[in-house]
Amino acid sequence: MYGVFANRTHEIIEFEECKIQTKISQEIAKTIIHFINENGIAVYNEKTRKGTFRHIVIKYGMKTNQVMCVLVLNEEEFKNEQKLIELLISKFKNIKTIVKNINMKNTNVILGNKNIVNYGNGYIQDQLGEYIFNISANSFYQINPVQTEKLYNLAIESANLSKEDTIFDLYCGIGTIGIFAAKYVKKVYGIEIVDTAIEDAKENAKINSIENAEFIAGDVEEIFKELIYNKKIIPDVVFVDPPRKGLDLNTIDNLLKIKPKKIIYISCNPASLVRDLSMLEKKYDIQKITPVDLFPFTSHVECVAVLQLKQDM
């Protein structure tokens, strides 16, 4: 079955075509679903927790035309596995890598922690602005690169950075914002909890000849505290790009204690943004909030909020 979840359920509404999805992603998905049906491979059932195939994830490099196919499975092997791999790489010449992602947990989280590379080297590349980025199966990469470039440029311009600045990039993913900002500042520290994303970030810094960026794997709350209290590194500007749940209270508290001159808050959830800004307003003036439409034809929107430290702080 191929489609979208009905509102507030995991019931699937079938459709033949999605106007805002890439054509190659849809063709790959249809090919896999046809193969599953032809070969009698069980699809995962959330209620019984049985079945093999959980999800199909397609990552597409818009500038490079490279495709990654991620098969999310409830077990490590499936019937006629090699036959499917050969079918996909023969039919879709743009597929650079195929990865099995193993997720046996009772969860609505899409990806598990274990990846097995079936074909290629386990990553694709794409270009944002003047930079090339490696993207692996578990690494976060915005789904709309055209607007992402505008989003990051807006964030960098809003920060009004200088060559004397040290910046923190919290929830840095594969290092995109930090790498965009690196040429304008003295030093970049990026923090991200996903180990593979940090591996990508470090490699992306090398690929782009960025020598003033350091990327650290770990929980943002803990690593942020480690940098400012133990290593005594106080940033001039902090970029935050948290998940939908927003910032944790400890991180907000630490931002209010160290008082960077600017905070650039990139948000994918206006509700958690408003909640967090209400706490940061104790010491910061909210200069502007700019919406950026990364998700056309949906109710979702990204926002870039610019916070300036109050003069009496």
Side-chain angles (χ1 to χ4, degrees):
M1 191 178 287
Y2 174 87
V4 295
F5 286 137
N7 192 31
R8 300 184 183 277
T9 77
H10 277 196
E11 298 297 319
I12 295 176
I13 301 172
E14 292 186 72
F15 59 69
E16 283 299 312
E17 182 183 12
C18 176
K19 298 293 186 182
I20 59 173
Q21 181 60 272
T22 60
K23 288 185 178 180
I24 192 169
S25 298
Q26 296 178 77
E27 288 304 313
I28 291 171
K30 288 176 182 177
T31 299
I32 294 170
I33 291 165
H34 182 70
F35 183 90
I36 288 170
N37 293 334
E38 266 199 338
N39 288 268
I41 302 169
V43 174
Y44 182 76
N45 184 307
E46 288 184 345
K47 294 176 183 176
T48 65
R49 298 179 59 188
K50 292 182 180 179
T52 302
F53 263 83
R54 293 182 72 136
H55 304 281
I56 302 163
V57 178
I58 311 295
K59 298 196 176 192
Y60 175 66
M62 189 170 286
K63 295 283 181 67
T64 62
N65 215 23
Q66 294 180 5
V67 176
M68 171 190 288
C69 180
V70 184
L71 311 175
V72 186
L73 308 172
N74 189 41
E75 51 199 34
E76 293 198 7
E77 296 180 353
F78 60 92
K79 190 168 102 178
N80 291 334
E81 181 177 310
Q82 192 56 36
K83 187 178 172 183
L84 174 59
I85 304 305
E86 290 169 4
L87 171 64
L88 291 172
I89 61 179
S90 64
K91 187 174 180 179
F92 303 100
K93 302 302 181 184
N94 293 352
I95 290 182
K96 185 173 183 284
T97 190
I98 300 173
V99 178
K100 287 189 301 184
N101 176 271
I102 314 305
N103 185 356
M104 299 181 183
K105 293 182 178 179
N106 182 20
T107 175
N108 61 2
V109 175
I110 302 295
L111 296 172
N113 294 322
K114 183 175 182 179
N115 292 310
I116 301 169
V117 179
N118 283 82
Y119 171 74
N121 52 18
Y123 69 88
I124 60 171
Q125 289 186 326
D126 199 16
Q127 182 175 347
L128 279 179
E130 62 191 273
Y131 304 106
I132 299 292
F133 292 96
N134 280 1
I135 306 157
S136 56
N138 288 70
S139 298
F140 175 76
Y141 184 68
Q142 291 281 11
I143 60 172
N144 187 339
V146 175
Q147 287 294 86
T148 298
E149 199 171 312
K150 294 179 181 178
L151 177 78
Y152 292 167
N153 284 331
L154 174 65
I156 302 300
E157 290 166 10
S158 301
N160 194 25
L161 299 168
S162 84
K163 281 290 187 180
E164 299 305 310
D165 286 339
T166 294
I167 70 168
F168 283 6
D169 179 10
L170 308 187
Y171 311 93
C172 69
I174 61 174
T176 44
I177 295 172
I179 286 171
F180 262 64
K183 68 179 180 180
Y184 301 106
V185 301
K186 181 169 68 175
K187 183 73 177 182
V188 175
Y189 292 91
I191 306 170
E192 168 63 51
I193 197 168
V194 179
D195 290 342
T196 53
I198 287 295
E199 290 171 19
D200 287 345
K202 290 177 179 178
E203 187 61 28
N204 290 332
K206 288 180 186 176
I207 291 169
N208 292 289
S209 301
I210 305 295
E211 297 180 351
N212 62 333
E214 182 177 336
F215 296 103
I216 306 163
D219 184 87
V220 164
E221 181 180 353
E222 295 303 318
I223 303 298
F224 184 38
K225 189 166 60 177
E226 166 78 12
L227 289 176
I228 60 177
Y229 294 122
N230 293 348
K231 296 192 175 180
K232 309 297 182 186
I233 302 168
I234 305 300
D236 300 286
V237 179
V238 176
F239 291 82
V240 299
D241 188 4
R244 289 187 62 77
K245 66 181 180 180
L247 298 174
D248 64 88
L249 292 175
N250 285 335
T251 297
I252 290 174
D253 187 50
N254 284 325
L255 284 168
L256 292 171
K257 284 177 180 174
I258 63 170
K259 297 184 288 191
K261 63 185 180 184
K262 269 195 176 179
I263 299 170
I264 309 298
Y265 193 138
I266 300 170
S267 169
C268 60
N269 183 1
S272 56
L273 173 65
V274 169
R275 180 201 65 208
D276 294 347
L277 292 184
S278 68
M279 290 180 272
L280 291 166
E281 272 189 303
K282 295 172 187 175
K283 294 186 179 179
Y284 285 86
D285 289 320
I286 302 167
Q287 293 189 321
K288 61 180 177 179
I289 302 174
T290 307
V292 181
D293 188 9
L294 262 71
F295 316 105
F297 310 108
T298 77
S299 60
H300 300 287
V301 68
E302 295 266 333
C303 292
V304 178
V306 181
L307 285 73
Q308 178 76 47
L309 187 66
K310 292 179 179 179
Q311 290 187 352
D312 56 347
M313 288 295 138

